[in-house]
């Protein structure tokens, strides 16, 4: 199958334009099982330079990243992230930080104020810019033959993660990213996404037209899941994941934790 | 200068590893002036397929995108986004939506609840996943010779933008992205970023070591700004941008607007 066909689980899907970058992006899959080779310091430098090359609102650069290689620290972070053992087994675990602390320290040294940092808008800028940067790292890693997977579970225990990494006030782990050489034996594949016309609207949002594609996608995803011995389609998984606070593994407390860590998000 | 040297405004900066993807990423610059050629439907399809190939938390896919080409609509959106005229002049303006509405509608049709969608954690998932997707589009666009620039100012008037695009409840414009052929006459260049060691920490966060790189960066950015007839370094601009609600162009009201649009973010 072409990369577009695999991306949509639709043998007829194809694109008019292509290239090395698109092929690499379309072939993305999550990697949770890693080979033995280390990620070199030169590779790490390139991954971070790629991240810094992403756009950032008003050039604020409101993020930082902690590169964790120490096995005992990775194991502790894995335990804090719902016990996902691949975090400990990845040669490199990057903890991406929404970082308004740098600006707050600048203000403190200058005897001035940055009261805009108190607002939800600024919290969102920090998380958005961190995500833009990290996605550049995902693509750069793929171009170097490295696999990655994001770890949102690092937000289950934000205060404990902050203590583990020695974070100053006004910084918080936005997500983790495990990085390493993909284990060729891992049973994982390109996961089909919603048909393009379920997410792409022209001029104005058309909910009924978009949602009409969901039943077909449920069948595509059920077939994909069945290949890995899993049952169910997309809709039932979305509904289970978003059922209520009890389906959030503790992450329903994030607002409170953010406030304590210096993101009042008013 | 190499792309790493330009990225850091440091003639000695270089990377051990490289490749087509890294070169493209490191050469990123914002494009706000566009040539006459249209973005084709085939290119738009590729840009969105790239976006859909980005990672998404639990495969929730909590975003949508509205492709706007109609000149009068682009002009109205430009007016809502602080009157930035390049929005109207871009051949294609993509409005990226944090979209929890799709899941809410699924729940409604299924007679069930998705109370997790009420939490700030889920709002953040939606914004993060939208950003991961959009950054793939930025890179894919560059690979097709198209320039882009994000428009955060679309968050100044979220309700008016929602009305313009016919958004259903629980969807909100996260940011815009202007897309088009770069005008070769535009005076714009690769903007130097903070030195890598100002944002990259090893094992634990070291604020003093990181912040020690800021004074040097202020000089680099002052020299860059001077080339465009602008004055000032980085620190003073960050402090001005984050001074307080009065420096946010109305975006301090975002929390309230999000709540009205169906993102209680509790």
């Amino acid at each position: 199958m072409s990369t577009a066909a695999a991306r949509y689980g639709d043998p007829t899907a194809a694109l008019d334009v292509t290239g090395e970058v698109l092929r690499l992006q379309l072939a993305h899959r999550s990697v949770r099982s890693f080979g033995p080779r280390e990620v070199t310091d030169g590779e790490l430098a390139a991954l971070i330079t790629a991240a810094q090359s992403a756009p950032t609102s008003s050039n604020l650069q409101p993020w930082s990243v902690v590169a964790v290689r120490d096995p005992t620290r990775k194991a502790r972070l894995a335990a804090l992230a719902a016990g996902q053992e691949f975090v400990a087994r990845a040669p490199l675990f990057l903890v991406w930080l929404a970082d308004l602390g740098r600006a707050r320290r600048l203000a403190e040294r200058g005897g001035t104020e940055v009261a805009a940092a108190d607002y939800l808008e600024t919290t969102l800028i920090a998380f958005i810019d961190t995500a833009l940067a990290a996605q550049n790292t995902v693509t750069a890693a793929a171009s170097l033959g490295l696999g990655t997977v994001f770890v949102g579970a690092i937000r289950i225990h934000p205060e404990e993660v902050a203590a583990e990494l020695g974070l100053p006030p006004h910084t918080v782990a936005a997500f983790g990213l495990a990085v390493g050489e993909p284990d060729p034996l891992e049973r994982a594949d390109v996961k089909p996404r919603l048909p393009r016309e379920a997410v792409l609207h022209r001029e104005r949002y058309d909910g009924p037209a978009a949602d009409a594609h969901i039943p077909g996608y449920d069948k595509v995803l059920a077939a994909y899941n069945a290949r890995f011995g899993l049952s169910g389609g997309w809709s039932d998984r979305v509904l289970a994941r978003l059922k209520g606070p009890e389906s959030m593994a503790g992450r329903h407390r994030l607002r409170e934790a953010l406030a304590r860590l210096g993101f009042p998000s008013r």
Side-chain angles (χ1 to χ4, degrees), chain A:
Chain A
M1 282 208 286
S2 80
T3 48
R7 177 52 65 207
Y8 292 116
D10 171 1
T12 70
L15 294 178
D16 291 351
V17 294
T18 187
E20 181 184 333
V21 170
L22 278 165
R23 272 192 299 271
L24 201 68
Q25 291 181 315
L26 268 60
H28 170 78
R29 65 176 181 89
S30 295
V31 171
R32 293 185 180 83
S33 181
F34 301 96
R37 101 159 164 83
E38 291 300 318
V39 178
T40 67
D41 277 349
E43 287 171 329
L44 173 60
L47 297 180
I48 303 308
T49 303
Q52 292 187 266
S53 300
T56 163
S57 182
S58 306
N59 197 31
L60 289 175
Q61 306 180 62
W63 60 269
S64 294
V65 59
V66 184
V68 180
R69 298 181 191 270
D70 177 52
T72 60
R73 179 166 290 109
K74 281 188 295 182
R76 289 193 298 271
L77 290 170
L80 289 171
Q84 297 186 83
E85 289 186 13
F86 65 83
V87 169
R89 287 199 295 253
L92 173 65
F93 188 60
L94 296 174
V95 185
W96 295 87
L97 309 173
D99 188 345
L100 297 175
R102 188 185 297 122
R104 299 266 197 180
R105 295 192 297 275
L106 273 181
E108 206 170 301
R109 288 194 289 268
T112 178
E113 279 202 345
V114 283
D118 290 347
Y119 288 81
L120 179 59
E121 159 70 10
T122 310
T123 300
L124 283 175
I125 285 179
F127 276 81
I128 289 168
D129 286 5
T130 307
L132 299 177
Q135 183 56 23
N136 257 14
T137 289
V138 166
T139 304
S143 80
L144 299 174
L146 295 168
T148 55
V149 66
F150 278 113
V151 180
I154 205 79
R155 293 193 302 274
I156 297 176
H157 296 292
E159 296 100 329
E160 289 84 347
V161 169
E164 175 63 45
L165 300 178
L167 302 188
H170 315 293
T171 54
V172 64
F175 39 75
L177 187 74
V179 184
E181 176 191 35
D183 172 359
L185 300 179
E186 186 180 19
R187 289 191 69 216
D189 209 344
V190 169
K191 184 174 281 189
R193 298 288 195 230
L194 284 162
R196 188 184 308 115
E197 298 306 324
V199 304
L200 172 60
H201 302 258
R202 319 273 172 154
E203 301 301 332
R204 284 172 63 85
Y205 194 101
D206 186 343
D211 290 0
H213 294 277
I214 294 178
Y217 178 60
D218 275 328
K219 292 198 186 95
V220 167
L221 211 63
Y224 176 87
N225 286 336
R227 284 174 49 204
F228 299 93
L230 304 168
S231 66
W234 182 69
S235 297
D236 46 4
R237 287 179 176 242
V238 167
L239 294 175
R241 174 66 182 74
L242 296 179
K243 191 171 189 336
E246 72 281 9
S247 66
M248 297 175 74
R251 285 151 73 174
H252 63 288
R253 296 180 302 102
L254 186 70
R255 182 169 170 74
E256 190 186 312
L258 278 178
R260 274 202 297 270
L261 292 171
F263 293 80
S265 305
R266 56 185 276 206

